[in-house]
Amino acid sequence: MIYKMKPVCFKPMYHWLILTALFSLCITVSNAQHFQFRTYSFNNGLSSYNANKIVQDNYGFIWIATQEGLNRFDGNDFIAVKKDPLKNNGLSENYVTGIAKDNKGRLWIASALGGVDQLNPENFRIEQRLKADSAAKNKLITNWVRCLAWSPQQELWIGTYYGFNVYNSRDNSYRAFIENPFNKNIELNISFTGLDSIGNIWLIAENNGIIIYNMKTKKMVTTISKEQLGIKADETFNVTGLFVDKPNSIYVCSSKGLKHILYQSNKYIPSATDNTFFRSFENADVRALIKDRDERYWVGTAKGIFVSNGKSAPEKIIHSDFFYNTILDDNINCIYKDVFENIWVTTTKGLNLFINDEYRFQAYKAKSGTLNEIKQVNVLYPDNDSLIYACASTGLFKININNFSTSGILNSDKYGEMETLIRVNKNGFLVSSVQQLLFLQVNNDHYQCMDAGYVFKELMPIKFNYFSTFLKYNDSIILLGSMEDMGLFKWDIKNHKLKQFKSQLNASNCLHEDNIHNIKSDRSGNIWLLCNESITKYNPLKDSFVNFFPKIENDEHGAPHFFFDLYDDGRYLWITSYGNGLIRFDVKDNSFTSYTEKKGLASNATYNILSENDSIIWVSSNRGLMKFNLSSTLSSSYFFSDGLQSDAFDERSACKIGNNLFFGGIDGFTSIAKNRYYTAAKRIPVYVGKIIFTALNGELTEINSLNGVNSDLNIKPGPVTFHIISPDYANNNRDNYAYRIEELNDGWIQMGSKKEITLAGLAPGTYHFQGRIYNAHGVTSDSQTIEFLVVPQWYQTIYFKLALILLGIMVISFFYGYRLSQLRKQHQIRKEIAEDLHDDIGATLNSVKIFTHLAETSPEKKKYFANIKESLTQASVGLRDMIWVLDDAGDTAGDLLKRLAMFAHPVAEATGIYISFNVDDTARDTVLNKTEKRNLLLIAKEAINNSIKYAESKNITVTFSRLHNKNVLTVEDDGKGFVQNKITPGNGLNNMQQRAQQIHYNITLKSAEGNGTKITAMKR
């Protein structure tokens, strides 16, 4: 019934305010059914919006034939197989006209002008091509193939524009049939092939009729002309589908209607059907016909899909603004039922999927663009088994859940947004809007709206208050919860009394706070008030209050929590909250446990709870609906894409009628019904569908293989990506994934909803990868194991490592030998120093001993004491020289000359000789080893001593330089000189020669009478 609204006027208090007529927004779905579809088109990855045929492979994946190639769909992604001129592994042509699956699971693909390609769905490889060849008889008639059918005899029946072939896959032989049995002068144009249950194959000769062959004998059984089917000779005739309803009852989907053929007495007889449903399509352009698990027939036509149980008239599946996610368009190409009982529909605008899910969602909203469409449902209130009242932002609505007709009762333009209502008695409802309290009287679908304060005088003081929730405690008491800091009101209807309860400072038996979100009762009849920070247990008979303050570990948001709803499962109370998800409250020990996004919920902002049964509850949120298992605490999430009216729901908008659940929120409400025909898959197929890695040649490589990798999978060190896929179309967006590598992981590594995992930094070696899926029903399934070898780089090979070890040994040996040599040299130096000390110091001490003895016994003591002093001085100088040699701080050529200057200057000054020391800048920092340093010092001292003692010189020059990168030490004087060949070398010159020899130096002596002497020590 439709009502129209007139202005409402308020009369004196004792008069009722009469609403003479009501505005109405009426939405009815007449002769139509709503089915929730997921739709996919070009924007979702489908290679072409024009999809025509579908087949499911043995792995569960769907293959869609389009005019732009073949597409495999795994529930999330499309992979297109097309013609690729650069590679020899693509389709022969892109316009796919037919597709068939053989007994081994391989797909045979027909294309316009491309012949037939055999595709392996495991790895996307084309393994065989059937082509026409004018020079060979045993080939296809033509490459222009229109349709395919695979027979139990392992033969492929191939329909073309010029007849048909039968290809025997066992011996690769062909048989050609080109004669048209209807008219030998007309080419045989085969547009469709299909198998019946008798063992025969049906071939459609376009515009002629039906040809039926025996698949074993390849002999024609019979023909049925289009005239026999009731089609005029000048009318076009084509067939796109064949449906075997019963072994002897066959329906042909044709451009001239649904034709019924009976098989009786070994004959095919066209027969008019007595079925009302099928008779509805006698003249329609029928494209497809199937029967689903619910025993419903689906008929696809050029003007939409129609469904029926086969006994009643067909109802069209339509697109409507009232429903969400309807079919893309009405121009149907084909309908396909997969092994999971999902229904796939191809149209000229894409692919449509009707899920055979465990639950069926139906989303409802008011018609878009009307004055008072339902924009947000605040409360859903069930009045009886077929009627729901919806308090919405746009008004109050009445909804018949049998036919979902919706009528507007109160307009928000007049009364404001509607918040909540409750039936007071058989005469009407108490309604709260944001402006006032109203009483809505109902009398046989006639509504009278009145001021609640005039109808019930006790409500007069609060008639302009805003209430968020009502609860009827018993026949006489209604509880009213306020969101305006007014606390709780207890209304005694029979005695016409109203009592208010508010929080009191430092009081125990009272409310803790005055803002009440919801009032709920548990199984024991206790009343619970859900507030911002507290949950209060209230006894209306005793007016007693007990406050609870949830203390939640790892509180993610902090107080206040804002508690909205409560459900009693018999052991625990489950409470929804804003910020801490779903909270489990154990009243006995006053403990609280929260279940949040970290534990699998879709959102931490939860609103309403409805129970499906004792172990399953449904929870609404600001991000979809969640099905929560109270025993396992596992949850599944559902979203707008699953058929909800929106992902955003309201705080108090939920109700249950029978087995149907209703949740309201933004843009309307959604009903949930259990699918009684649904059977959850015992095992979900799961595969490693794609592997991306760097091959040994350095190229980034992608492998698609559902049965693992047949050949050795050798990869270079670096990232390797595994993509886990599953044809779990119903729960694909709710499935969780995991993986493990046997060599690295003891358990499974959880991936959440992520389907790809990239592994990096794997050391060279053999690994085994395995994927796992956890579906929404708790069923797990594992993929096949993928073995792969990370091949070491050249520097990671055993040979390189052995070479490194060998090189290390050689280096260690070298340094060990070098160190040993250095130790030997140091030992030799110490030995030589010891010998020098023994010779020089020993001789000196022996002289001291002798001189001392002589001094004691001889009267010339002074002389011997002088000798003792000189000997000790020489010993002291020798010791200082040895200490300087051993000191690492003076190992350069500059240091050598400084030491010589300290020795020579005092002696030269005492004898009136000028001595100078020169070192080149390039040679100043030349480092000398200990032996070199000691011997050069002694050589230079010997030469200087000789010049001072014997040369009678006035000047001595000592020079250190570098000549041809060799050290050169020179001592030169301007003394009297001598003739070299007239003298015999003494101990001093011999000592210099020996010391030079020890450090690989050469001594040269140059002297002439009157021209001085020059002694040079030069590094060899």
Side-chain angles (χ1 to χ4, degrees), residues 397-410:
F397 298 86
K398 181 181 70 173
I399 304 166
N400 187 318
I401 65 170
N402 291 330
N403 58 16
F404 286 96
S405 61
T406 304
S407 300
I409 299 174
L410 298 178

Side-chain angles (χ1 to χ4, degrees), residues 436-449:
Q436 65 186 104
L437 277 176
L438 302 170
F439 181 73
L440 189 66
Q441 182 171 342
V442 184
N443 185 11
N444 296 326
D445 286 339
H446 181 71
Y447 293 86
Q448 291 180 324
C449 181

Side-chain angles (χ1 to χ4, degrees), residues 666-687:
I666 301 297
D667 289 338
F669 64 97
T670 296
S671 69
I672 307 172
K674 183 84 171 181
N675 181 3
R676 61 190 178 93
Y677 295 99
Y678 178 79
T679 302
K682 295 182 179 179
R683 181 183 180 277
I684 311 120
V686 58
Y687 310 96

Side-chain angles (χ1 to χ4, degrees), residues 580-751:
N580 277 288
L582 185 63
I583 301 171
R584 189 183 69 188
F585 177 25
D586 189 334
V587 183
K588 292 182 180 179
D589 60 10
N590 194 27
S591 64
F592 297 85
T593 304
S594 66
Y595 296 87
T596 62
E597 293 174 12
K598 292 182 178 179
K599 295 183 179 180
L601 293 190
S603 173
N604 289 335
T606 55
Y607 298 142
N608 287 109
I609 303 175
L610 292 177
S611 66
E612 178 184 323
N613 51 48
D614 289 340
S615 60
I616 300 294
I617 60 173
W618 287 79
V619 182
S620 64
S621 74
N622 64 354
R623 190 172 177 266
L625 294 176
M626 293 163 283
K627 186 186 74 169
F628 188 84
N629 189 307
L630 297 173
S631 301
S632 66
T633 69
L634 297 175
S635 65
S636 301
S637 300
Y638 298 83
F639 306 100
F640 175 79
S641 59
D642 295 302
L644 311 185
Q645 95 288 343
S646 169
D647 283 337
F649 290 86
D650 202 79
E651 301 166 6
R652 298 175 302 277
S653 186
C655 69
K656 182 177 181 180
I657 298 181
N659 293 322
N660 293 331
L661 311 180
F662 298 86
F663 288 94
I666 301 297
D667 289 338
F669 64 97
T670 296
S671 69
I672 307 172
K674 183 84 171 181
N675 181 3
R676 61 190 178 93
Y677 295 99
Y678 178 79
T679 302
K682 295 182 179 179
R683 181 183 180 277
I684 311 120
V686 58
Y687 310 96
V688 178
K690 181 167 62 177
I691 309 171
I692 302 173
F693 61 94
T694 302
L696 297 182
N697 59 7
E699 293 184 359
L700 190 65
T701 304
E702 179 177 314
I703 289 180
N704 292 284
S705 181
L706 300 179
N707 259 347
V709 181
N710 297 325
S711 59
D712 293 337
L713 179 57
N714 298 328
I715 69 175
K716 293 185 71 174
V720 54
T721 299
F722 295 92
H723 186 84
I724 304 172
I725 58 175
S726 171
D728 186 16
Y729 301 107
N731 304 291
N732 213 289
N733 59 344
R734 295 184 293 275
D735 290 336
N736 290 309
Y737 298 83
Y739 79 94
R740 70 176 176 184
I741 296 179
E742 295 177 3
E743 290 73 14
L744 301 179
N745 311 121
D746 294 331
W748 292 89
I749 308 300
Q750 300 300 321
M751 300 163 57

